[in-house]
Amino acid sequence: LSRRRLAVLAVFSCYSLVNAFQWIQYSILSNVFAGFYGVSFTEIDWLSMVYMVAYVPLILPATWLLDTRGLRLTALLGAGLNALGAWLKCGSLAPNRYPLTLAAQAVCAVAQVFILGLPSRIASVWFGPTEVSTACAVAVLGNQLGTAIGFLLPPVLVPNTPNDIDLMAHNISIMFYGTAIVSTLLFFLTGVMFEEKPKYPPSHSQAVLQTIPPEDYSYKQSITNLFKNTAFVLLLISYGIMTGTFYSVSTLLNQMILSHYEGEEVNAGRIGLTLVVAGMVGSIICGLWLDYTKTYKQTTLIVYILSFIGLLVFTFTLDLGYLIVVFVTGGVLGFFMTGYLPLGFEFAVEITYPESEGTSSGLLNASAQIFGILFTLVQGKLTTDYCPRAGNLFLCAWIFVGIILTALIKSNLRRHSVNSGIMNLDVKAVPVDSPVESESTTLKIQSTL
């Protein structure tokens, strides 16, 4: 195994972190930014939802680029656009510049398209069979950590000062310029650290894939194969429901907390931090568990059911008047709901091998964005017109549907079978007088074994 794999994973996790931070930094301060830019809460919500909207039409071109041009170029695009969007935000530090900050956030949203589909690809290409699920969990962890910091840091850096707009602009500038400097540094590190693949394949499954000539690969056929795979289609919908719910809860958390606990912007951020940090622990535990047991369907179903129970408990304890209860229930909800994210990625790779990891991950994320947009709009409307409980119960109903769909998935662990040596070889007879073809066939069989 290549030592560089750890550096590749670390750099990716860091710039994924910054991208997630930029996604949530507006929503957790929705009341502050609504006052600063003089716009409605719905327009602030769109600063989060633009991430979801941009992803859906761009994911197919992005996965095509990943499959045809490779990992390094895709990583550079993600890190570069992330830095560009951060610097554009530095030009939006005035109350009448909401359109500019929306455009900057849209650039960061495009960067996200080249980020979210990479964890399973990086794990498969660079890491061995006994660490691939853990590596995928760590790659997803970077994104979750960015969301956690996005919940914690902005309320501290930008306190609500409605009577002093100049001070508010100064505080926002510290956050924006700091983000831009860090994201630029990570772009240069990406250029230095990222390579297309290690010198030697880290697993049998990767060795088999590298024997397939590039001209034999068809992106269109790969998409068709995925949608013909019933198990993947069921996972596509159930993953979209769970992750879309997480996006919606994260976007509207500030509004939910402040509706019951007025003036608690900082604690709303801390609750979001608790939710995501608990999810990071859940992600690592789930990744280690999968590497040890390979029980993909069973683990995914159990985590789904526990997420449903966690959301119900969070919903019915939100208005009790005790913030400590919200911290605890939010942590439990985050542990299971966020811990589910790497499970979905790895489960998809297992049931769709040898199709591209980037393509399956990209489609899963596209489903998540679509459900995230719909859930955020509907939950936001229910929360505004009625109460947070109505919006959360709407999400609970959908998660129950996701449990049923997950239970219907028939698990066929193809990649695990290859790495375990459980496979069928279809060897064609080769004429004795064809030494070149015979040698080529022998080498392919040896690499496969």
Side-chain angles (χ1 to χ4, degrees):
L1 297 175
S2 169
R3 292 181 181 179
R4 184 181 283 265
R5 74 191 190 285
L6 300 177
V8 169
L9 183 62
V11 171
F12 169 78
S13 297
C14 287
Y15 79 74
S16 178
L17 179 155
V18 176
N19 185 258
F21 174 84
Q22 296 198 80
W23 164 58
I24 205 66
Q25 66 183 169
Y26 292 101
S27 295
I28 199 60
L29 292 173
S30 55
N31 58 324
V32 174
F33 279 105
F36 181 73
Y37 287 117
V39 297
S40 67
F41 280 105
T42 301
E43 288 171 288
I44 297 300
D45 289 343
W46 272 107
L47 292 172
S48 171
M49 288 190 291
V50 69
Y51 264 58
M52 309 174 202
V53 173
Y55 196 92
V56 177
L58 294 177
I59 183 53
L60 291 180
T63 53
W64 174 84
L65 188 73
L66 175 61
D67 289 342
T68 57
R69 297 300 179 90
L71 188 60
R72 177 177 165 81
L73 177 61
T74 306
L76 285 170
L77 279 172
L81 289 171
N82 197 46
L84 176 60
W87 282 109
L88 287 174
K89 289 180 184 180
C90 297
S92 66
L93 294 168
N96 60 344
R97 295 181 184 175
Y98 172 81
L100 179 56
T101 209
L102 178 60
Q105 191 74 333
V107 174
C108 295
V110 175
Q112 177 209 217
V113 180
F114 299 102
I115 294 173
L116 287 187
L118 293 191
S120 56
R121 171 63 70 90
I122 291 173
S124 296
V125 170
W126 284 89
F127 289 83
T130 60
E131 56 187 21
V132 63
S133 295
T134 305
C136 183
V138 171
V140 174
L141 188 79
N143 202 266
Q144 296 171 1
L145 182 59
T147 304
I149 297 174
F151 278 127
L152 177 67
L153 203 55
V156 176
L157 293 176
V158 190
N160 191 11
T161 56
N163 298 323
D164 193 342
I165 297 298
D166 290 336
L167 176 60
M168 187 181 291
H170 173 72
N171 292 332
I172 293 173
S173 71
I174 294 174
M175 180 171 66
F176 282 176
Y177 277 103
T179 305
I181 292 169
V182 172
S183 58
T184 302
L185 174 63
L186 288 170
F187 170 64
F188 287 115
L189 282 176
T190 303
V192 172
M193 294 296 181
F194 256 79
E195 288 185 356
E196 189 59 41
K197 59 184 178 181
K199 185 176 181 180
Y200 303 107
S203 64
H204 295 301
S205 59
Q206 282 298 307
V208 172
L209 289 178
Q210 290 183 21
T211 65
I212 301 174
E215 59 270 16
D216 288 353
Y217 175 77
S218 169
Y219 179 70
K220 180 179 178 181
Q221 185 60 46
S222 179
I223 295 288
T224 303
N225 293 342
L226 289 174
F227 279 104
K228 286 181 178 179
N229 187 329
T230 304
F232 176 74
V233 173
L234 291 172
L235 180 62
L236 186 68
I237 300 171
S238 60
Y239 183 90
I241 291 172
M242 176 65 80
T243 312
T245 298
F246 170 71
Y247 289 160
S248 184
V249 170
S250 299
T251 300
L252 300 171
L253 184 64
N254 176 271
Q255 297 175 42
M256 284 192 283
I257 300 300
L258 294 185
S259 66
H260 295 297
Y261 305 92
E262 188 176 350
E264 295 286 357
E265 290 91 351
V266 174
N267 274 324
R270 290 171 179 167
I271 291 169
L273 173 69
T274 303
L275 187 148
V276 179
V277 169
M280 290 161 56
V281 176
S283 294
I284 293 298
I285 291 175
C286 289
L288 291 170
W289 177 256
L290 286 186
D291 277 331
Y292 179 72
T293 66
K294 305 300 181 184
T295 54
Y296 291 88
K297 178 180 176 178
Q298 297 91 324
T299 304
T300 301
L301 183 58
I302 290 171
V303 171
Y304 220 117
I305 293 171
L306 293 174
S307 298
F308 173 71
I309 295 172
L311 185 56
L312 279 176
V313 174
F314 177 79
T315 299
F316 287 101
T317 58
L318 184 61
D319 58 353
L320 293 181
Y322 300 99
L323 269 174
I324 186 64
V325 175
V326 184
F327 272 97
V328 173
T329 57
V332 173
L333 175 63
F335 181 88
F336 295 113
M337 184 175 287
T338 317
Y340 171 85
L341 303 183
L343 291 179
F345 279 151
E346 283 300 289
F347 195 13
V349 173
E350 287 294 334
I351 62 180
T352 61
Y353 179 87
E355 304 302 335
S356 167
E357 304 92 344
T359 305
S360 61
S361 298
L363 291 174
L364 288 179
N365 282 317
S367 175
Q369 311 303 327
I370 293 171
F371 279 102
I373 295 168
L374 296 175
F375 288 173
T376 302
L377 291 174
V378 176
Q379 187 190 10
K381 182 68 174 175
L382 291 173
T383 299
T384 302
D385 293 352
Y386 299 100
C387 62
R389 178 174 294 183
N392 285 337
L393 287 176
F394 166 77
L395 297 180
C396 287
W398 274 100
I399 290 184
F400 185 75
V401 173
I403 292 173
I404 297 173
L405 295 176
T406 303
L408 294 174
I409 296 174
K410 292 182 179 180
S411 179
N412 180 16
L413 306 185
R414 302 179 183 181
R415 181 178 61 174
H416 175 61
S417 297
V418 173
N419 284 329
S420 302
I422 308 169
M423 58 185 297
N424 295 318
L425 289 177
D426 182 15
V427 184
K428 296 181 179 180
V430 180
V432 179
D433 57 351
S434 303
V436 175
E437 187 176 357
S438 176
E439 181 181 0
S440 173
T441 304
T442 303
L443 289 173
K444 286 185 180 181
I445 294 173
Q446 287 176 344
S447 69
T448 300
L449 294 175

